Amino acid sequence: MFRLTPLVKNLIIVNVVIFIAQKIVATLPIAEYLSLWNVSTPNFRPYQLFTYMFVHSSRDFFHIFFNMLLLAFFGSMLEELWGTKRFLLFYIICGIGAGVFNIFSDLFFGLGSFGVMMGASGAVYGVLTAFGITFPNMEIRLMFLFNVKAKYLVMFLGISAILMGFRNVPGDNTAHFTHLGGIVTAIIILQVWRFRGVN
């Protein structure tokens, strides 16, 4: 779990380079172009469904830190199991699916929580979900205090994303339905693979 695989390492590098570029070249509107804007705004571009997962808030170090930490811990084991190409496909589809899920939640139900959205958390939640389904009984130590099985962690994350999304707390800038979208997308992909007999 602590050995970085090639793709996971490269994904982390890309995210970190973009984060540093935002800091160093603050005059360039990197986040403005790469983030996912609400489709009701003139800033929305379809390519942002892909690029938003590689840009993080330059004012919040922990935004990128925790996303990359979770990707490093859980993504590497899935890449070793599936191979690089399959893991990359899964990661990208989860990220795009999470963005689409949040957009539709906002358009049709008024539940999406964004004017502009950025971060890898949708794709990362997909990775966490796949890990929990693939290694359900593997124990994970949380906060260095106690162990919890992966399947229970995934259940907790899913329930939390739903509850936090419906709470719609003023000032909460977290796109909780993007997290839920990553979970849903991951489950769909795994079910399709299972139906097709992909191990």
Side-chain angles (χ1 to χ4, degrees), residues 9-179:
K9 180 171 67 176
N10 288 333
L11 287 172
I12 292 173
I13 289 172
V14 170
N15 279 274
V16 170
V17 166
I18 293 175
F19 180 80
I20 293 173
Q22 290 175 256
K23 289 282 193 182
I24 296 176
V25 196
T27 54
L28 286 179
I30 297 173
E32 181 179 338
Y33 287 112
L34 298 184
S35 299
L36 177 59
W37 289 82
N38 193 304
V39 293
S40 63
T41 69
N43 292 323
F44 171 76
R45 298 290 184 274
Y47 71 81
Q48 295 166 354
L49 284 165
F50 172 77
T51 58
Y52 88 94
M53 67 184 90
F54 297 101
V55 59
H56 292 78
S57 171
S58 61
R59 297 185 299 273
D60 185 1
F61 170 74
F62 291 105
H63 185 211
I64 186 171
F65 176 77
F66 284 114
N67 274 340
M68 296 302 100
L69 185 66
L70 292 172
L71 176 60
F73 281 176
F74 301 105
S76 292
M77 289 190 68
L78 290 175
E79 183 181 349
E80 282 194 344
L81 178 67
W82 292 343
T84 298
K85 290 182 179 179
R86 185 176 167 192
F87 179 75
L88 176 61
L89 179 66
F90 177 85
Y91 185 85
I92 296 301
I93 293 176
C94 280
I96 294 174
V100 170
F101 188 92
N102 197 50
I103 288 174
F104 275 86
S105 297
D106 182 64
L107 284 176
F108 293 104
F109 305 105
L111 297 172
S113 52
F114 76 97
V116 59
M117 186 172 66
M118 65 181 73
S121 56
V124 169
Y125 265 67
V127 169
L128 289 171
T129 301
F131 185 92
I133 293 173
T134 307
F135 306 104
N137 294 313
M138 181 174 289
E139 292 194 340
I140 301 164
R141 175 153 294 195
L142 294 181
M143 306 295 183
F144 304 101
L145 297 175
F146 58 92
N147 293 337
V148 61
K149 290 186 177 181
K151 59 185 176 184
Y152 298 131
L153 177 61
V154 169
M155 290 178 191
F156 172 77
L157 292 173
I159 293 171
S160 296
I162 294 171
L163 294 178
M164 293 300 292
F166 279 106
R167 281 183 65 193
N168 198 19
V169 178
D172 183 2
N173 295 320
T174 303
H176 297 288
F177 277 90
T178 304
H179 299 169

